[in-house]
Amino acid sequence: MSLQDRIDALDTDRDLSVDFDFDREKAVALAVFLIPGLTLFGIFSVGPIVYSAIGSFFAWDTFTMEHFVGLDNWIRSLTDPLIVHWSNMQEFRYPMGALTHNLLWVVVHVPASTFLGLGLALLFADLKGRRILRSMVFAGFTVPPIVIGLVLMFIYDPQAGVFNELLRVLGQDHLVRNWTQSPQVAIYALIAGGIWVHTGFSMLLYSSALSAIDPSLIESAKVDGAGPWRRFWDVIWPLVKPVTAVVVIMGIIWVMRMFDIVYAAGGAAGGPNHAYSVLGIEVYRAAFRPEIDYGMAMVVALIQLFIVAPLALYIARMR
Amino acid sequence: MTEDDPLEPTGVDAGPDETTEADRYLQVEEVPETAPTDDRTWRTRLAESVPSSRRTLKYAVAITVAVLWIVPFIGLFMASFRPLSEIIGGWWHLEGMSITFENYYQAWNYSTAPLSRALLNTFIVTIPAVLVVMLLGVMAAYPFARFEFPLKTTLFFLILLVMAAPPELVAMGNYNSLQRIGLFDTYMGLILIHIGWGLGWVVLFLRNYLLGIPEELEEAARIDGASRYQIFRTIILPLSTPALVSVAVIQFTWVWNAFFFPLVFMRSPELYLAPQVLPLMRGRVQVEWGMIAAGSIMTMAVPVILFLLLERYYKRGMVAAVAD
C-alpha cells in the first residue's frame, strides 16, 4: 500500500471513528489485539526516540537531564572534529570525522555491492545448482557481524592473513601490512569486507527479481537476434530497475547503521585515533564511555536517523 | 489468422466462444503437401544439446567466485582446529598439519567469560524474544490488515520511523528506563528491548502477508457466528504459518547476532552473550587466533545451520520484508 493510500485512509479513519464509538465489541477486540504489542513497542522503541529528540536540546549531567540549552548540543556535535574533521578533509587525511567516513562508506560500498550483486545474480541465474551457489555467497550475511569484523582482522593480519599472503605471492611485498590498523588505508580494507558480506543480500534481491521474469521474453529476444548485451538492456534491466532502488536504499541503511564490524576491528575508538570510526561508534563512545556526553550521543544518533528516514519512507511510498 | 489487433478483445474478453467444431481442426485442403522443413540444421541442433564452451566457462567462473567468496570462512574453520604456531605460519599450508581441539576447549572455558555460559545466555535471551515477538506481532498485525481504527495511519508512520532508526538511537532512553525499573543488566531487560525493537518490522511484514489472505474465509466464519478471537485463532493463525516461520528465522538470526544491545545492556561477565565475548578474546600481545576462530565458529554455527535448514523461509522472508 502506498503512502498516498495511507494519507487517503486518514480521512476514512475519521469517518469510521464515528460509528467506532458505538461498536463496543470491536473496540474491546482492537484493544486485546493491539495493546500488548503496541505497549512494548511504545516503551522500548518510540519512547526512547522521542526521549532522544527532546534530550538533544537539554544539558546532561551524565545520565540526568538538566536544563534546556537550545541548540548547544547540536552545534557542539556538528563542529566536533570527531564527527566532521574539516582540516583533515582538506588534506584528505584520516581521520576525517565519523560522518565523512559514513558517507564514504555509502559512496564506495553501496554502488560496489549493488553492481556485484546484480552481476552474481545474472551469472547464477540459469545455472544448475544455483541454489547452492547463491547460498554460498549469501551465507556471510547470516553470520554475526562481529564475527565478520574478526574475520576481516584475520584476513588482513600481516602474518596469518590470507590477503597479505596473496600480496606476497603476487610479489607486492612492500604492500604487506596490518591493514585494519593502518590509519590511511584501513577504512578501504573494511569497506571491501562490507562489500563482501553485503553483496549476498543484493544478489538475493536481484535473483528473486530475475526469477520473476517470464523466460519466454528472453527467449523471444534471442530469436529476434538480440545479443546478450541487448537482451540485458532491453529486456532484463527495465524489469529489475525497480529492485535497484530497494537494493540501493537497503545498502545505505545497512551502511549508516554500521557498528559491529568497525567495533571488532577498532574498538570503541573506531581504530587508531578514530581513523575509521562511524557515527554508531561515536554514539556509543559518547553515551557509554567516559567522558559521558549524552547530549552529543543523542544528536549524532538523530543525524543517523535523518539521513536514513527519507529513504525508508521512499521505499514505503513505492509499494 | 490475421495479425493481432490490440483492440480486438481476446481470451475471456472475447465473449462467448464462437468457434465451431469445424474451426478447431484443419480442413483437408489446408493440410500441406510436404512435411514442414526443420528450422534448425543438424549442426545447430547438436550445438544446442551439448553444453557450449561458453556455458562451461560460465560454470567455471560461477563456481570459482562462489568458492572464493567463502575462503575467509574456510580459513576461519581451518584455524579453529590448528595450534597457534601453524595459524601464524598460514592456515593455507597443508603439509605437516596437526588437528587439535584445544582451541575449542579454551574458548569453551575462556576465563573472562566462558563461551559455554555465553552461548547458554544467548539462547536464554533469543528464544523468548523470538516467540513473544511472533505472538504479539501477529496479534497487532491482524487489526492493521483488517480493521479501520483511529490513529492507524499515525501508528503506521511510527513503525516506519522506528524501522529506519539506528539501534543507537534508542540506547540512551532504554538505558535510563531499565536503570529506573531495575531491569538493567538482566535477561528480562534485554529480552524486552529486543521485543520492542523487533515488533516494528514484524508487524509490518505480517500485515503485508495478511493482506494477501482472502477476506471471504473470515466473512464465512463470521456469518457462522465465530467471534473475532475465534477467527483469529482458527483461520488467521494457521494461514499465516509460513510467514511466521520466516519471522522466526529472521528474528532469531538478528537477535542472536545482535552485538550492540548486549554490549550496552549486559555488564556482568556471567551475563555476557556470545557475540559480546568474541572481541574480548583478542590477547594483549599476541592475538589468540585459534581461540577466536573456535569461538566464532561456535557462535556462527547456530544461525548458519538455521539458515541452511530453513533457507527457503529465510530468503523469501528477507525479500518480502524489504521488497514488498
Side-chain angles (χ1 to χ4, degrees):
Chain A
M1 194 182 261
S2 78
L3 210 59
Q4 191 54 48
D5 291 342
R6 308 285 342 144
I7 292 163
D8 295 342
L10 197 63
D11 298 324
T12 4
D13 280 3
R14 277 194 213 106
D15 299 340
L16 281 168
S17 63
V18 179
D19 33 18
F20 175 82
D21 291 338
F22 300 106
D23 195 344
R24 177 175 289 266
E25 187 264 329
K26 183 181 168 188
V28 172
L30 274 173
V32 169
F33 282 125
L34 283 173
I35 283 177
L38 289 184
T39 310
L40 288 177
F41 181 69
I43 294 175
F44 294 105
S45 285
V46 181
I49 293 178
V50 175
Y51 186 74
S52 291
I54 297 170
S56 69
F57 296 104
F58 282 80
W60 288 84
D61 176 30
T62 54
F63 301 126
T64 325
M65 206 189 282
E66 305 253 275
H67 53 275
F68 183 78
V69 290
L71 287 173
D72 265 19
N73 290 322
W74 287 85
I75 294 164
R76 190 162 45 86
S77 307
L78 287 170
T79 52
D80 192 320
L82 289 178
I83 305 304
V84 185
H85 199 310
W86 289 108
S87 58
N88 274 2
M89 272 172 74
Q90 273 150 17
E91 296 165 33
F92 204 74
R93 185 158 50 85
Y94 294 96
M96 297 201 281
L99 180 60
T100 323
H101 297 160
N102 252 134
L103 295 178
L104 188 78
W105 269 88
V106 171
V107 171
V108 181
H109 170 111
V110 174
S113 70
T114 307
F115 279 122
L116 270 174
L118 177 60
L120 291 184
L122 286 170
L123 178 65
F124 296 161
D126 58 346
L127 299 184
K128 286 206 181 71
R130 52 179 174 264
R131 258 191 53 205
I132 298 167
L133 293 169
R134 278 181 201 152
S135 291
M136 283 165 81
V137 175
F138 185 73
F141 200 74
T142 65
V143 171
I146 194 79
V147 171
I148 298 294
L150 294 168
V151 167
L152 290 180
M153 282 188 67
F154 185 47
I155 296 173
Y156 291 126
D157 187 83
Q159 298 157 330
V162 71
F163 183 71
N164 284 311
E165 177 68 10
L166 182 72
L167 291 176
R168 271 184 225 114
V169 169
L170 295 175
Q172 307 289 319
D173 288 59
H174 61 284
L175 288 177
V176 169
R177 66 183 91 186
N178 193 347
W179 288 85
T180 57
Q181 307 306 321
S182 319
Q184 301 307 318
V185 292
I187 190 165
Y188 302 105
L190 291 183
I191 290 176
I195 295 168
W196 165 55
V197 177
H198 198 241
T199 294
F201 179 71
S202 312
M203 180 206 61
L204 181 71
L205 293 185
Y206 275 124
S207 292
S208 80
L210 285 179
S211 64
I213 296 178
D214 184 357
S216 66
L217 273 178
I218 295 167
E219 216 35 62
S220 61
K222 238 184 219 171
V223 170
D224 292 346
W229 194 245
R230 283 294 304 270
R231 284 208 296 276
F232 175 75
W233 280 115
D234 293 349
V235 183
I236 298 174
W237 178 245
L239 292 169
V240 297
K241 218 164 103 183
V243 183
T244 305
V246 178
V247 171
V248 167
I249 289 172
M250 293 311 292
I252 296 175
I253 292 177
W254 194 78
V255 162
M256 290 305 297
R257 282 185 181 181
M258 178 61 51
F259 181 86
D260 305 14
I261 294 176
V262 175
Y263 187 94
N273 192 24
H274 301 261
Y276 45 87
S277 123
V278 286
L279 293 173
I281 294 278
E282 292 306 328
V283 176
Y284 175 71
R285 193 194 46 75
F288 303 111
R289 289 293 172 95
E291 302 281 318
I292 284 167
D293 185 349
Y294 246 39
M296 176 173 170
M298 289 173 171
V299 170
V300 177
L302 285 168
I303 294 172
Q304 277 180 286
L305 176 65
F306 288 155
I307 296 174
V308 165
L311 302 173
L313 289 178
Y314 177 78
I315 293 198
R317 184 193 281 268
M318 281 196 340
R319 301 211 185 108
Chain B
M1 203 179 120
T2 54
E3 237 178 54
D4 270 350
D5 183 354
L7 298 177
E8 194 69 35
T10 53
V12 184
D13 295 338
D17 204 2
E18 283 163 23
T19 49
T20 59
E21 195 72 11
D23 291 340
R24 277 190 220 144
Y25 300 101
L26 284 174
Q27 302 295 317
V28 177
E29 55 269 28
E30 286 175 25
V31 175
E33 294 292 316
T34 54
T37 50
D38 195 346
D39 55 351
R40 301 181 298 180
T41 64
W42 63 270
R43 202 181 280 279
T44 54
R45 266 193 178 185
L46 198 67
E48 274 165 31
S49 55
V50 176
S52 62
S53 59
R54 206 192 153 84
R55 204 165 160 75
T56 318
L57 185 73
K58 205 173 166 187
Y59 269 102
V61 171
I63 293 169
T64 315
V65 168
V67 171
L68 281 180
W69 219 264
I70 56 166
V71 160
F73 293 123
I74 296 173
L76 192 74
F77 189 72
M78 300 268 285
S80 73
F81 286 107
R82 302 179 71 173
L84 190 59
S85 58
E86 286 185 24
I87 299 170
I88 289 173
W91 57 264
W92 50 89
H93 293 299
L94 295 180
E95 67 271 21
M97 180 169 147
S98 47
I99 290 176
T100 167
F101 290 93
E102 179 62 25
N103 295 324
Y104 283 89
Y105 180 80
Q106 267 189 18
W108 191 254
N109 300 306
Y110 179 55
S111 56
T112 316
L115 206 58
S116 52
R117 184 65 211 246
L119 286 169
L120 178 70
N121 289 342
T122 318
F123 273 112
I124 292 176
V125 169
T126 307
I127 290 172
V130 172
L131 293 179
V132 175
V133 154
M134 283 166 69
L135 178 66
L136 297 187
V138 71
M139 278 168 64
Y142 181 50
F144 269 100
R146 285 291 186 270
F147 309 140
E148 291 301 332
F149 53 88
L151 295 179
K152 186 171 162 181
T153 315
T154 317
L155 286 170
F156 196 82
F157 269 112
L158 281 178
I159 289 175
L160 282 175
L161 186 76
V162 169
M163 284 176 69
E168 292 85 19
L169 184 56
V170 298
M172 284 74 76
N174 280 336
Y175 182 90
N176 281 3
S177 53
L178 285 192
Q179 289 278 18
R180 192 157 309 143
I181 54 179
L183 286 178
F184 183 73
D185 201 13
T186 60
Y187 293 126
M188 188 46 107
L190 187 59
I191 292 169
L192 285 173
I193 286 183
H194 272 303
I195 293 170
W197 185 245
L199 268 172
W201 85 266
V202 172
V203 169
L204 206 63
F205 174 78
L206 290 174
R207 163 193 167 273
N208 288 343
Y209 185 85
L210 292 182
L211 283 176
I213 297 178
E215 230 167 316
E216 286 76 27
L217 289 166
E218 290 154 67
E219 287 301 330
R222 194 166 300 147
I223 290 163
D224 290 349
S227 72
R228 289 180 208 271
Y229 312 104
Q230 283 169 328
I231 292 173
F232 178 75
R233 202 161 41 82
T234 56
I235 297 176
I236 296 297
L237 270 189
L239 282 178
S240 51
T241 315
L244 283 173
V245 176
S246 290
V247 165
V249 187
I250 296 175
Q251 179 71 5
F252 186 97
T253 315
W254 283 354
V255 174
W256 182 278
N257 291 352
F259 173 70
F260 179 75
F261 282 148
L263 183 69
V264 172
F265 299 112
M266 294 306 230
R267 296 294 174 87
S268 332
E270 65 271 18
L271 293 180
Y272 279 174
L273 303 198
Q276 236 178 321
V277 174
L278 298 178
L280 300 177
M281 287 180 173
R282 278 183 305 200
R284 287 259 171 241
V285 189
Q286 173 60 55
V287 184
E288 288 285 341
W289 289 123
M291 186 164 62
I292 292 183
S296 299
I297 294 283
M298 284 193 274
T299 308
M300 67 189 255
V302 177
V304 170
I305 289 172
L306 194 71
F307 162 69
L308 293 176
L309 288 178
L310 296 167
E311 186 199 328
R312 276 192 20 236
Y313 291 99
Y314 191 101
K315 287 183 175 169
R316 211 186 296 154
M318 261 312 184
V319 171
V322 297
D324 268 3

